[in-house]
Amino acid sequence: MWTRKKVLSGAVRAAQSVKSRAQASCDVSRAPGKTWVTPSGFNTGLKAFNSLSKQKEPFIVAREGVATWYSCGPTVYDHAHLGHACSYVRFDILQRILSRLFGISVIHAMVITDIDDKIIRRSREENVSTTTIATMYEEEFKRDMLSLKVIPPAVYLRVTENVHHIVAFIEGIINNGHAYATEEGDVYFDIQSIGHRYGKFVEAVEDSQLEPVKSNKRYWRDFALWKQSKPQEPYWDSPWGRGRPGWHIECSTIASSVFGRQLDVHSGGIDLAFPHHENEVAQSEAYHQCGQWANYFLHSGHLHLKGSAEKMSKSLKNVISIKDFLQSYSANEFRMFCLLTRYRSAVDYSDGSMLEARTSLRTISTFTHDATAYMKGQLQCLPVQEAFLWERLAETKAAVVKALADDFDTSRAVGAVIVLIYHGNCQLQPVAKSEGGTRSPAVFGAMVSYIRDLLDVFGIDLLHSKVHHTISIRY
């Protein structure tokens, strides 16, 4: 019996027919300075835009058929909003494409930042513990992701449950000569110790561009790995006194605790590239003493409210909560909204853009409904050019695979499906009375099955869509 997975994977075998294997390692000599080096491993046949090289690169994974993937999760101090949802849904779509279409199992780990200045501030405002705040918003975040049909990672890891690992990681960086402790009990990463290697995502800022600030740091760019605790703040014991982790170190430590010294993919919003991901790379490569810790950084574009150049952000007070959004639109419609643009592009959100997504979904759903009616004999049509439709279906399958293998170009893939539907609709010409000609239900069955299976890969369930249909009689 042909399963859905077999049908879809059959269309992509050519894209995966050639794979090469070599011993992969985190080696300083392989990646001097800021230069990205093509990793050794298994060539998947895909290309992905890598923020480290600032161009599309062959997507090569260390282990055949497996991609290790780490993503920055939420800081749980408030409601998640649509800007967060856009990033998480987009990367969920990418992971589904890898696993369901190209047969690459994604092992995904995500951190939950449950101790942070914002969480501490919110706990004081609400007069409750930081744990209460963090737990409440973490659970809400997880419910929001499920409501958007985002597949949970293999594991969520909380910062507060990994502080002992973070302390050990910082000690390793100090022992390797890339961090220092102050008399006050802070620990800073020593930027100057890695020289020109800093600045992989953006060029380093010149010293003259910033005014000197009074600090216990040796150098103004140095960033905190461990922060001395302040009165009434949560703290953990460490070799440097009571304190808590800095922001950037949590991701390096937790990703390394799961995946070790080498990571295939690291993802996040484009706003995290600098300084957060820049500092993550510096810390991780200093700890592991390697030249290329994460091989690919994938960044999603910002979500803007239409007419605004600013991203959706809590600090700008221009957010729409996920719960409020789902009062007006469905998870399927939001996924289509995300599919209609490339994941790394900025996207404007408005009622108009959501209407476009809704219309695209309705176009697809109406075709599958009419085609099913034709197969059942409930829709009488003129004779169909069956061979022509089989050819268009084959062309669409090839075009979709080509588009998705090219940096996950979902907008081009959806466009190819819409063209296929156009050709199908041209053949579904209803007549008032059947003339008893030859019918061609099989080709429409193949088209409907393919479209449903592809949308299922994207996380859209057409069978349970709320779109209402009527068969339009066009005569």
Side-chain angles (χ1 to χ4, degrees), residues 108-126:
H108 180 203
M110 178 184 290
V111 69
I112 300 288
T113 302
D114 59 344
I115 185 63
D116 171 88
D117 290 340
K118 294 174 183 177
I119 296 172
I120 293 171
R121 189 180 309 120
R122 188 64 179 265
S123 72
R124 288 173 177 168
E125 293 170 354
E126 302 290 337

Side-chain angles (χ1 to χ4, degrees), residues 456-468:
D456 187 64
V457 168
F458 296 149
I460 293 176
D461 182 3
L462 273 186
L463 292 175
H464 297 91
S465 172
K466 293 182 179 179
V467 177
H468 298 288

Side-chain angles (χ1 to χ4, degrees), residues 153-456:
V155 60
Y156 286 109
L157 298 111
R158 299 183 185 93
V159 172
T160 56
E161 295 173 353
N162 286 272
V163 174
H164 59 296
H165 291 308
I166 293 172
V167 169
F169 202 90
I170 294 171
E171 288 182 301
I173 297 174
I174 292 173
N175 292 338
N176 289 340
H178 297 294
Y180 57 91
T182 68
E183 293 180 358
E184 294 82 2
D186 298 311
V187 181
Y188 290 100
F189 188 87
D190 185 356
I191 289 290
Q192 291 178 307
S193 72
I194 62 171
H196 63 287
R197 293 181 59 78
Y198 193 75
K200 292 188 178 184
F201 294 109
V202 295
E203 292 301 319
V205 181
E206 295 296 330
D207 289 353
S208 60
Q209 289 182 256
L210 290 179
E211 294 293 328
V213 178
K214 287 185 178 181
S215 171
N216 56 358
K217 297 190 289 186
R218 294 176 184 171
Y219 184 51
W220 64 266
R221 284 189 204 155
D222 295 349
F223 55 88
L225 304 181
W226 186 261
K227 301 163 75 171
Q228 178 192 22
S229 64
K230 298 176 183 177
Q232 309 304 314
E233 283 190 352
Y235 65 82
W236 287 262
D237 291 323
S238 79
W240 318 287
R242 291 176 172 178
R244 56 187 174 90
W247 176 34
H248 313 298
I249 193 65
E250 65 187 46
C251 288
S252 294
T253 301
I254 290 175
S256 296
S257 73
V258 177
F259 300 118
R261 56 192 285 115
Q262 184 180 52
L263 178 65
D264 290 322
V265 180
H266 194 312
S267 65
I270 187 61
D271 53 315
L272 296 177
F274 189 90
H276 184 51
H277 291 164
E278 186 75 56
N279 292 348
E280 271 191 71
V281 170
Q283 295 163 157
S284 300
E285 294 179 357
Y287 176 84
H288 295 297
Q289 299 190 76
C290 68
Q292 193 161 288
W293 166 61
N295 287 326
Y296 300 87
F297 269 85
L298 307 184
H299 288 116
S300 59
H302 285 149
L303 178 76
H304 301 267
L305 289 175
K306 190 166 185 179
S308 171
E310 298 173 322
K311 69 171 184 174
M312 187 174 288
S313 167
K314 293 172 187 173
S315 62
L316 298 174
K317 302 185 186 305
N318 62 353
V319 301
I320 299 169
S321 74
I322 295 169
K323 184 177 180 180
D324 288 344
F325 169 82
L326 290 173
Q327 298 297 313
S328 302
Y329 301 101
S330 70
N332 279 347
E333 288 167 341
F334 188 68
R335 280 186 174 263
M336 181 56 71
F337 168 78
C338 292
L339 287 164
L340 291 175
T341 57
R342 304 197 71 154
Y343 74 94
R344 56 189 174 88
S345 301
V347 57
D348 285 335
Y349 171 82
S350 67
D351 287 337
S353 59
M354 286 307 305
L355 179 60
E356 180 185 0
R358 178 174 284 175
T359 301
S360 297
L361 260 184
R362 183 176 287 115
T363 297
I364 295 170
S365 190
T366 299
F367 169 74
T368 62
H369 179 268
D370 289 355
T372 301
Y374 172 81
M375 287 187 282
K376 291 179 177 180
Q378 298 169 349
L379 179 61
Q380 305 301 319
C381 294
L382 296 172
V384 169
Q385 294 179 309
E386 184 174 353
F388 173 81
L389 289 182
W390 282 115
E391 290 174 5
R392 299 293 80 74
L393 177 58
E395 288 175 358
T396 301
K397 290 180 178 181
V400 167
V401 170
K402 184 177 181 181
L404 297 179
D406 181 17
D407 194 31
F408 310 98
D409 192 344
T410 56
S411 59
R412 186 151 50 106
V414 171
V417 171
I418 295 296
V419 170
L420 175 66
I421 287 171
Y422 167 78
H423 289 303
N425 281 332
C426 287
Q427 297 295 314
L428 286 177
Q429 295 296 321
V431 293
K433 183 179 180 180
S434 173
E435 299 178 1
T438 303
R439 300 181 70 256
S440 305
V443 68
F444 284 101
M447 292 168 70
V448 168
S449 294
Y450 173 72
I451 291 169
R452 283 178 177 166
D453 288 350
L454 181 63
L455 291 189
D456 187 64

